[in-house]
Every structure is written in C-alpha cells, then in structure tokens.
Amino acid sequence: MQNIIIAIDGYSACGKSTTAKLVAEKLGFTYIDTGAMYRAVTLYFLEHYISLDNPKEVSKALTNIHLSFQKTASSTNADMFLNGLNVEDEIRKMYISDQVSQVSALKDVRVAMVDQQQRMGKKKAIVMDGRDIGTHVFPQAELKIFMTAEMEIRAGRRQQELLEKGQLVPLTDVIDNIRKRDAIDTTRKESPLTKAEDAILVDTSHLTIEEQVDIVLHYATEVVTAKIKG
Ligand code: DC
C-alpha cells in the first residue's frame, strides 16, 4: 500500500482505536493514538498538582513532559511512555478519563501535542486517531473517517474494556463520563471535535470490529487507486 495518512476522528468509545490499530497492522503502517498523549499529559498534571487556570504553570510543565510510543515484550502495539515510564495502564483509568477533556481543551497543551503529532506523521504511512486529526493536525490527510455510535452502545463497549482491565465501573458512571467529555470536546474553543467536510461518516453502532476495519481498508484502497490513476 502506498504511503498515505489515514485520520480517524470521532466521539469517545466508538471503536476508533481498535479499528485504527487493526487497519495499521494490516497495512504495515504506524498507529498513533493521540488520545493517549492527552491522557499522559493529564497524568503528569495530576501528579504534579498543575493548576489548569495558571498558564505559566501549564507551559512550564509542558517543557518537562517527554512522550514516546514504545513497543514492549508484552504489548502487540506500542505503549505510551511518559518521561521514560510505561504509563499505558494508568492512563486508561477513570480518574484520568474524568480530567482529560479539561486538560486537552487548553491551547498550550494542544499546540505542544499537535506539533509532535505532525512530526510523527512526516513520513506518512500512519493511521492516527483522535478528535482533530482530519480538521487540524492533518487537514491534507488522504483519507478521513469520522466515527459515531449510539450512546448506550458506546458506554457498554467502554464498560467492557474497563472490566477487561480489572475496573468495575457502573454503566451510569461511564455514560456520565462520556457525556461530559463529548460536551467539552465538541464545544471547546481550540479545534473542537467536528467532522471534516471531506470525512466519511461511519456509524459503528451495529458493526463488528471486522466490518469497521473492512470499511476503512476499502476506502484506503479506493484512495490509493485513485492516486495511482492520477
Ligand atoms: O481517545 P481518548 O478517549 O483516549 O481521548 C481522551 C481525550 O483526549 C478526549 O476526551 C479528548 C482528548 N483528545 C483531543 O482533544 N484530541 C485528540 N486528537 C485526541 C484526544
């Protein structure tokens, strides 16, 4: 497959990451989970008691944050490392989900993350998922997918994911967290979550993961074929 950028945006818990990971694997592309980056920043801010209302504190903290994706013996995909420590499990916990949208709404945080994301995508051959990839990080991406799904289905999937990681969270709490994050992510001033005009809308409510992956692969093939034909 020719090197292209595949941007997958959409609401929380629509299956973006699972789909993006598998698509990347099939194409031999690199998968970049931008949500993990915002989660790692949130973990750092919480651990260092950074006040979100204090721009000086925030920008100083950002200079002390070094993020990288690294493969480990126990993981099939790269794990998120924060200042040399594997934080992959920690950043998936509910206390991070509860704060991440507030942190990712801050302009300085976004500027720093987008800069890293754009550098990671320089060589193309990436599948990147997030909220603003098609609209802001890579508006020139060859393929843009925007995922959505019904709330009950999203919450059920997220609850199951948490359970598989040993966290038993009531469905009402999961719904509450997703609703709050949707509200902040779609209304924030800095590059809010919105579908790019040229993104393909995929409702995953009644799709299996395999179907979601097939849809993205189908469009990727179409894009590449059109490119070759010129
Ligand atoms: O994909 P996720 O649920 O792990 O993302 C966590 C939060 O990070 C999400 O609620 C909003 C924020 N985020 C963002 O603002 N921009 C991105 N490109 C990715 C995530």
Side-chain angles (χ1 to χ4, degrees), residues 12 16-17 33-36 38-39 92 100-101 104 110 117 129-133 158 181 185 188:
S12 312
K16 297 188 303 293
S17 303
D33 174 359
T34 63
Y38 291 99
R39 285 173 180 271
R92 307 293 165 188
V100 65
S101 285
S104 61
R110 300 208 72 79
Q117 290 154 12
D129 82 339
R131 304 292 186 290
D132 60 341
I133 313 306
R158 181 49 51 88
R181 284 206 284 148
D185 296 347
R188 68 180 177 223

Side-chain angles (χ1 to χ4, degrees), residues 1 4-9 14-24 26-27 29 126-128 142-147 200-202 204 207-224:
M1 168 80 63
I4 58 168
I5 293 178
I6 303 178
I8 304 185
D9 288 304
C14 287
K16 297 188 303 293
S17 303
T18 317
T19 307
K21 259 180 223 165
L22 290 169
V23 168
K26 295 235 173 188
L27 298 178
F29 282 17
I126 56 158
V127 184
M128 189 175 271
E142 284 85 353
L143 176 59
K144 299 179 188 177
I145 303 285
F146 190 89
M147 285 189 173
I200 295 156
L201 182 69
V202 178
T204 68
L207 296 177
T208 63
I209 292 296
E210 291 74 23
E211 287 169 333
Q212 291 168 207
V213 171
D214 283 348
I215 289 172
V216 179
L217 288 175
H218 163 80
Y219 284 114
T221 310
E222 225 176 64
V223 163
V224 169

Side-chain angles (χ1 to χ4, degrees), residues 76-230:
T76 40
N77 289 283
D79 285 352
M80 180 85 255
F81 278 67
L82 165 64
N83 294 337
L85 276 181
N86 189 337
V87 293
E88 184 60 37
D89 289 340
E90 199 61 28
I91 60 170
R92 307 293 165 188
K93 295 188 177 165
M94 275 304 275
Y95 77 98
I96 299 291
S97 299
D98 280 338
Q99 297 298 317
V100 65
S101 285
Q102 287 84 332
V103 171
S104 61
L106 299 175
K107 184 172 184 186
D108 283 353
V109 171
R110 300 208 72 79
V111 169
M113 293 306 109
V114 169
D115 179 58
Q116 283 195 37
Q117 290 154 12
Q118 288 173 336
R119 277 188 278 126
M120 288 173 183
K122 270 232 164 85
K123 290 190 195 135
K124 298 206 174 190
I126 56 158
V127 184
M128 189 175 271
D129 82 339
R131 304 292 186 290
D132 60 341
I133 313 306
T135 52
H136 191 68
V137 182
F138 290 115
Q140 79 286 16
E142 284 85 353
L143 176 59
K144 299 179 188 177
I145 303 285
F146 190 89
M147 285 189 173
T148 176
E150 290 159 19
M151 176 57 81
E152 298 294 325
I153 292 176
R154 293 163 63 197
R157 286 177 185 163
R158 181 49 51 88
Q159 189 190 38
Q160 184 59 30
E161 260 174 41
L162 288 164
L163 198 60
E164 280 162 20
K165 287 180 183 145
Q167 298 172 66
L168 181 60
V169 185
L171 196 63
T172 46
D173 289 6
V174 179
I175 292 178
D176 193 44
N177 172 261
I178 293 179
R179 280 224 168 92
K180 276 192 191 135
R181 284 206 284 148
D182 277 0
I184 301 174
D185 296 347
T186 53
T187 60
R188 68 180 177 223
K189 207 165 139 243
E190 304 298 328
S191 46
L193 167 65
T194 175
K195 178 183 164 301
E197 258 178 38
D198 52 349
I200 295 156
L201 182 69
V202 178
D203 185 331
T204 68
S205 302
H206 305 290
L207 296 177
T208 63
I209 292 296
E210 291 74 23
E211 287 169 333
Q212 291 168 207
V213 171
D214 283 348
I215 289 172
V216 179
L217 288 175
H218 163 80
Y219 284 114
T221 310
E222 225 176 64
V223 163
V224 169
T225 311
K227 250 186 134 188
I228 292 169
K229 281 186 183 158

